[in-house]
Amino acid sequence: MHHNDTTATDSACSGGERPRSDLAESISRFTGGGSRLDTEIPGLSLHRWEQPTASTSYMLAPSICLIGQGRKQVVVGEDTFLYDPSQFLISSIDLPVVARILEASPQAPYLGLTMEIELRTLSQLMLDHLAPHEPSVTDSRGIGVSAVSDPLLDAFERLLALLATPEDIPALAPLIQREILYRLLKGEQGARLRHIAASGRNGNRVANTIEWLKRHYCDAIRVEDMASRAGLSVSAFHHHFRAMTAMTPLQYQKRMRLTEARRLMLTQHLDASRAAFQVGYESPSQFSREYSRLFGAPPLQDIRNLVQQSA
């Protein structure tokens, strides 16, 4: 089991201590009392929670996540990642995650942001500004945690400042988002991003197959067909897929199905049998068994618990 528990003291490697309150104040100013705000800046959402949360499952798109205040845990497969205001979490591929806010209160709410990463922009940036080279990727996971550098934090603070002048967003937001991607590529997470964005590499092949799987997760899928789609042998595909996602292809598909079923029951009020059928299960009893194993309670009880918690 891989356990990432980088602590706040590690931020010294980012060039000295620096108060993170500016980012927290900006997020607090724009979130008000809500739990999530999808901003006018494409791909940027802000998050505010006034108490620790129960574990929540969702698909995390390629993105960078920062915290202004509080602490969060993200679990991918058997890997656990913890991060706080001194760090950022980065995902370079779509991953089914289970996450929870660890530190939050009405006096000191959890304040965070997520910016989705446009891989096309990333690829173009690599072509335009970074000399092509084969990085030595020792950790091929599609997710990681790093210390926040001052230049990266400055860029995010300037991006958030644009929310106060919406008329400037179309012209300036793309420039700042491009700068953020540039700084990520130049930092210690650059190899992880290049591994995914560079076409022809195994990471890119698996990422493209995951993109296809997102659209066909309800179907009965053979690993042989996925490997063929990626242009890899079954054993090589299985190896690279697991290295990037901490899951086998079929475990990944199952988590996508169960996560979507949970969403359908919670937001569209489907019963368990209809949700199971809609995400590709033929057996309601198998669905209930696998759902309980992942979320710790049968579907009906789990949804009831979630509704009570949100109330």
Side-chain angles (χ1 to χ4, degrees), residues 25-47:
E25 285 173 12
S26 296
I27 297 170
S28 180
R29 185 163 74 248
F30 293 111
T31 50
S35 57
R36 176 188 168 112
L37 171 70
D38 290 312
T39 72
E40 293 183 50
I41 298 172
L44 181 70
S45 59
L46 307 181
H47 311 269

